[in-house]
Amino acid sequence: LWLMQGDCLERMKEIPSGSVDLIVTSPPYAKQRDYNGANSSEYLSFIRPIVVESLCKLKNTGSIIINIKEHVVKGQRDLYVYKMIIDFVENLGLHFVDEYVWVKTNPFPTGAKTRFKDGWERCLHFSKGNHKFYPEQCLVKSESKWLEGEKKRKNKLEHNTTNGSGMNMARRISDDMVRPSNVITGSSSNINIGHPAVYPVYLPEYFIKAMTTNGNVVLDMFMGSGTTGVAAVNLGRKFIGIEMDQGYFEIGVNRVAEALL
């Protein structure tokens, strides 16, 4: 366990290169939260050097998960997140592995009469290349209505056509426990601990289970209230957290300490 207070761009230099297995973080959203962020027009200049530094600490088989959602300006979505994705791929050479959708069962009203409730956020998955993945650690019960029929079908291995996604159906596995989808559903965090953007523990746990094993190192360079640290400790992983704001840092330290008890 290693918790640091200060500017993450500077404090990350203290972390040995290639020592981190997974980064799970939620950076300040552009113009949306009043703490240590940047306007959308300057966001790429703000986030890019931080990601570059964090990648130096990440193992070649590691992943970085970024929870972020663009805001609305004059009736339309800001494009800064999309620009960030393109920059990371085209200029940093990262692999854009997947986009996970976090669906909130209790979204807040927007207050805008021309828009629906904003009921989801994205979690962007980037890697340097071939990333570690442990699907057997996060299996869920199959809800397929064709499961029993597929398990009994005798000629399954003779079926070698592809479906619309390009999958070879001969390799399809029918089992009671299956990999979860890339849609994560649950309630928003409703704890009031003095931080404006607390995400629920189950969100970082989802990625930590899928992309690390016991004893691996998880980094959150925007630690905030320490939720990623709590998830890492709960799952038997080592954690490095960095937070600039002294007040939020103290909240995070206390939460991670409680998880260790």
Side-chain angles (χ1 to χ4, degrees):
L1 184 64
W2 189 2
L3 306 181
M4 296 180 276
Q5 195 270 321
D7 185 339
C8 63
L9 194 56
E10 294 301 317
R11 297 306 303 261
M12 277 193 292
K13 295 176 182 178
E14 302 173 36
I15 303 172
S17 297
S19 62
V20 174
D21 297 278
L22 174 67
I23 297 169
V24 182
T25 194
S26 184
Y29 296 4
K31 290 192 68 175
Q32 292 300 94
R33 298 169 186 170
D34 189 21
Y35 62 97
N36 307 326
N39 294 330
S40 58
S41 61
E42 303 167 344
Y43 199 82
L44 197 55
S45 298
F46 160 72
I47 197 68
R48 197 175 194 269
I50 295 173
V51 170
V52 168
E53 184 64 32
S54 72
L55 292 174
C56 294
K57 314 307 172 184
L58 193 67
K59 293 179 180 178
N60 288 333
T61 54
S63 292
I64 176 169
I65 304 293
I66 301 176
N67 166 229
I68 196 166
K69 180 70 178 288
E70 67 283 346
H71 57 287
V72 175
V73 180
K74 296 181 179 179
Q76 65 178 347
R77 288 284 175 185
D78 196 290
L79 298 178
Y80 79 92
V81 173
Y82 300 92
K83 293 176 181 178
M84 184 185 78
I85 296 170
I86 293 170
D87 179 70
F88 287 0
V89 174
E90 294 188 348
N91 297 320
L92 299 187
L94 290 179
H95 291 205
F96 184 27
V97 180
D98 208 346
E99 180 178 37
Y100 302 85
V101 178
W102 170 31
V103 178
K104 304 176 184 180
T105 56
N106 58 339
F108 292 107
T110 62
K113 295 181 179 180
T114 57
R115 306 189 72 84
F116 295 117
K117 289 182 179 181
D118 203 356
W120 65 277
E121 293 188 22
R122 57 170 52 87
C123 295
L124 306 172
H125 181 183
F126 299 96
S127 74
K128 291 182 174 181
N130 294 326
H131 62 282
K132 292 286 188 179
F133 187 53
Y134 306 95
E136 68 279 1
Q137 297 181 161
C138 49
L139 299 178
V140 297
K141 186 174 177 55
S142 174
E143 297 180 352
S144 172
K145 62 182 179 181
W146 297 289
L147 176 62
E148 293 305 316
E150 282 293 314
K151 288 163 67 174
K152 295 176 182 178
R153 190 156 63 87
K154 295 181 179 180
N155 67 339
K156 181 171 65 173
L157 295 178
E158 298 174 7
H159 186 62
N160 58 8
T161 59
T162 57
N163 64 7
S165 66
M167 180 191 298
N168 186 332
M169 302 302 282
R171 300 176 62 183
R172 183 171 54 185
I173 299 173
S174 300
D175 209 340
D176 296 304
M177 301 299 290
V178 296
R179 287 173 291 171
S181 78
N182 55 5
V183 177
I184 309 158
T185 303
S187 64
S188 302
S189 178
N190 58 6
I191 58 175
N192 184 7
I193 57 175
H195 190 281
V198 181
Y199 56 38
V201 175
Y202 70 79
L203 190 63
E205 280 186 345
Y206 176 93
F207 301 109
I208 294 171
K209 284 181 181 179
M211 299 171 199
T212 66
T213 57
N214 189 51
N216 280 177
V217 178
V218 178
L219 166 66
D220 186 351
M221 60 277 202
F222 296 101
M223 182 178 74
S225 63
T227 302
T228 301
V230 172
V233 168
N234 288 346
L235 295 172
R237 276 57 164 176
K238 299 174 183 177
F239 177 67
I240 302 174
I242 306 172
E243 173 55 42
M244 176 180 286
D245 186 279
Q246 180 66 40
Y248 300 152
F249 178 72
E250 291 175 2
I251 293 171
V253 168
N254 290 335
R255 291 185 70 208
V256 174
E258 289 177 4
L260 286 168
L261 297 177

